[in-house]
Amino acid sequence: MKKFINDPADVVREALAGLAAAHPELRVDLDEQYVARADAPRPGKVGLISGGGSGHEPLHAGFVGPGMLDAACPGEIFTSPVPDQILAATRAADAGAGVVHVVKNYTGDVMNFQMAAELADEEGLRVETVLVDDDVAVEDSTWTAGRRGTGATLLVEKIAGALAEEGAALDAVAAAGRLVNERSASFAVALAAGTTPAAGRPGFELAGDEIEVGVGIHGEPGRSRQRMRPAAEIAELIVDAVTAAGPVGPEPLIVLVNGLGATPLIELYLMFGEISRRLEAAGATIARRLVGNYVTSLDMTGVSLTVCRADDELLRLWDAPVRTPALRWAA
C-alpha cells in the first residue's frame, strides 16, 4: 500500500486539520471532531447536519457551507461518528429553530444519530431526522436493514439546505429532504476495491475480468459478480436497475453520475454519455446533470448513478446558490 499518510490512526484528524487550513470559511473543531460553517448558527435558521464514516469525501464535510449543511461530523474510516460528536455538531448548528439530521441508512449511523437526537431532546433542542435509503441494489446487506444510503444524500443535503437557507420551518425542511429521498434511486458498479489505511489491502478481491454489480460504498457486496464488458453494456445494466425500481416518466430528472474515488473524469463523462442516452431512450427528460467524485469509497474504482424525479420546486431549490468546498454555484 502506498498512500500519502503518516500514521493510519491519525488520518482523519490530520485530514481535518488540512481542511481547516484550506478553508478558513469553515470552523473545524478537532477535539469534538466536527466541521461547521464559520457563521453558524445563524439566528432563526433551521440547522442542517449530516455525518458518517470518513473515506467518502467530499461527503460530508465538503458540503458544509451556505446553501447546504451547517455542520458535519466525520467518524473514523467507514465508522459512524459517536453520539457525543453528533450532539456537538447539533449544538453548533442550532439557532433556536431546530436541526435536521440527514442520516444514511447504515446500522451504526442510524443508532448513533438516534441516540444523539435523544440527548439533544433532553437539552431542549428540536431534531427531525431524514433517513436516506436510495440504493436499489439490495434490500438488506452486511451493514443495513433495508436499502443503503448512497448518492441521494448529496441531493437531500442540497435541496433541504437551500430551503433552510431561505428561512423555511423545521417541518418543511425535513419534509423536503424526505421527498427527495422517496423520489431517488441509486445503483453502483465497481471495477476494483478501495484500500483502507488501517488494513493496507483492498476490501475485496476481483479477478481481472470481474466487476461487482450493485456494490456498496463501504465495499459491501452487491447483487452479483459478473464479467467485465464494454462501458455501453455496463451503463445499460445500471440504467435498467434504476428504472426497474422506479420507472421514469414525464417528470424531469436530476441525474448524478458519481465516481467512487479512483475513476478518472474522462471515464465518468463517457459513462454519463452512455447513461443519458439510455435514460432518454426510456422516455426520461434530464433537467439537471452533475458528474464527478462526490460520494466516494476511498480509492475504489467504480461508478454510481443516482436519479431523482423532480418537479419545478425541487429544481428551483437545486438551482439555488450554494457555496461549499466541493459544490458551488451562483443563482
Side-chain angles (χ1 to χ4, degrees), residues 179-273:
L179 178 63
V180 172
N181 179 64
E182 290 165 8
R183 288 171 166 252
S184 297
S186 298
F187 194 87
V189 170
L191 309 185
T195 300
T196 61
R201 60 182 183 276
F204 56 88
E205 297 290 342
L206 290 174
D209 62 348
E210 286 184 322
I211 59 176
E212 185 74 30
V213 175
V215 69
I217 58 172
H218 304 95
E220 314 96 306
R223 293 182 175 180
S224 61
R225 288 196 176 173
Q226 299 184 19
R227 63 176 179 81
M228 183 60 186
R229 61 196 76 177
E233 295 181 26
I234 295 175
E236 182 175 16
L237 183 157
I238 293 171
V239 170
D240 286 350
V242 167
T243 55
V248 297
E251 300 134 312
L253 296 184
I254 301 171
V255 176
L256 167 64
V257 170
N258 172 68
L260 298 179
T263 308
L265 271 172
I266 190 171
E267 295 179 32
L268 293 180
Y269 281 120
L270 187 154
M271 286 298 290
F272 183 85

Side-chain angles (χ1 to χ4, degrees), residues 34-280:
Y34 69 82
V35 179
R37 289 170 54 166
D39 63 349
R42 207 180 83 196
K45 179 187 177 298
V46 168
L48 189 71
I49 81 163
S50 193
S54 295
H56 305 304
E57 289 73 24
L59 193 78
H60 294 275
F63 299 137
V64 175
M68 238 169 146
L69 295 176
D70 292 279
C73 39
E76 296 303 313
I77 300 291
F78 293 174
T79 302
S80 171
V82 298
D84 286 349
Q85 187 182 352
I86 300 166
L87 179 61
T90 303
R91 291 187 190 119
D94 181 68
V99 176
V100 173
H101 287 176
V102 179
V103 185
K104 301 187 302 302
N105 189 33
Y106 293 94
T107 301
D109 288 1
V110 172
M111 179 178 65
N112 288 351
F113 269 90
Q114 181 178 357
M115 291 176 64
E118 291 170 357
L119 292 170
D121 181 67
E122 291 175 4
E123 295 184 7
L125 306 180
R126 293 182 298 149
V127 172
E128 288 283 341
T129 298
V130 176
L131 184 68
V132 183
D133 58 354
D134 56 305
D135 185 1
V136 301
V138 293
E139 274 299 321
D140 298 302
S141 72
T142 312
W143 299 66
T144 64
R147 292 178 174 180
R148 303 175 292 211
T150 57
T153 312
L154 182 156
L155 278 63
V156 169
E157 292 174 358
K158 171 63 187 76
I159 289 171
L163 196 59
E165 202 72 38
E166 293 178 353
L170 179 64
D171 290 348
V173 174
R178 291 173 188 138
L179 178 63
V180 172
N181 179 64
E182 290 165 8
R183 288 171 166 252
S184 297
S186 298
F187 194 87
V189 170
L191 309 185
T195 300
T196 61
R201 60 182 183 276
F204 56 88
E205 297 290 342
L206 290 174
D209 62 348
E210 286 184 322
I211 59 176
E212 185 74 30
V213 175
V215 69
I217 58 172
H218 304 95
E220 314 96 306
R223 293 182 175 180
S224 61
R225 288 196 176 173
Q226 299 184 19
R227 63 176 179 81
M228 183 60 186
R229 61 196 76 177
E233 295 181 26
I234 295 175
E236 182 175 16
L237 183 157
I238 293 171
V239 170
D240 286 350
V242 167
T243 55
V248 297
E251 300 134 312
L253 296 184
I254 301 171
V255 176
L256 167 64
V257 170
N258 172 68
L260 298 179
T263 308
L265 271 172
I266 190 171
E267 295 179 32
L268 293 180
Y269 281 120
L270 187 154
M271 286 298 290
F272 183 85
E274 296 289 352
I275 286 168
S276 63
R277 280 193 288 275
R278 281 158 181 78
L279 285 171
E280 289 165 354

Side-chain angles (χ1 to χ4, degrees), residues 3-30:
K3 289 184 177 291
F4 292 108
I5 62 174
N6 295 309
D7 184 321
D10 298 330
V11 168
V12 174
R13 176 174 290 271
E14 291 180 352
L16 286 174
L19 179 71
H23 293 283
E25 72 275 18
L26 301 178
R27 185 171 78 253
V28 179
D29 189 313
L30 294 177

